[in-house]
Amino acid sequence: QGQLVESGGGLVQPGGSMRLSCAHSRSILSTFIGSDRAWYRQAPGKQRELVAVIKNTGAINYADSVKGRFTISRDNTKKTVYLQMNDLKPEDTGVYYCYKKDPNDREYWGQGLQVTVPS
């Protein structure tokens, strides 16, 4: 029931855009709605960092480095969370992970997606 399926990622030129998706089709709708969802990323040689979070309340927060460029959203009917990334920069390169904390505080991670923005 905890499986998160990510899609998107790849190579994009600086200034380009990309959308990441994280589906949780095996979740019941009430669990999906009641969960906090987020995207993290890990650049080579660095610790994993929070990129964006959308709480079950609808509250949203972003890392300072992506504010104004990235947008996190959720589609409850599709039980999917998105990360729209615009004006991508080389420093956005890394492995992006979908994260979920359900109403019982259980945590789940996606398998990770490589995003590469060449310099």
Side-chain angles (χ1 to χ4, degrees), residues 41-115:
R41 70 184 177 191
Q42 187 165 18
K46 295 187 177 181
Q47 290 188 333
R48 192 172 298 187
E49 64 173 352
L50 177 66
V51 175
V53 58
I54 181 166
K55 300 281 192 176
N56 61 358
T57 59
I60 293 175
N61 282 295
Y62 297 97
D64 288 342
S65 59
V66 307
K67 282 181 181 176
R69 299 188 298 120
F70 290 13
T71 303
I72 189 171
S73 62
R74 58 197 299 167
D75 184 334
N76 290 337
T77 61
K78 296 181 178 180
K79 289 181 281 186
T80 299
V81 175
Y82 303 97
L83 184 68
Q84 177 66 43
M85 305 184 292
N86 298 327
D87 189 24
L88 282 158
K89 304 176 181 181
E91 51 264 41
D92 295 318
T93 294
V95 179
Y96 284 69
Y97 296 91
C98 178
Y99 167 88
K100 168 190 167 184
K101 185 168 73 172
D102 75 12
N104 295 314
D105 287 337
R106 289 174 297 195
E107 298 180 313
Y108 305 90
W109 292 91
Q111 76 276 15
L113 293 169
Q114 177 67 47
V115 173

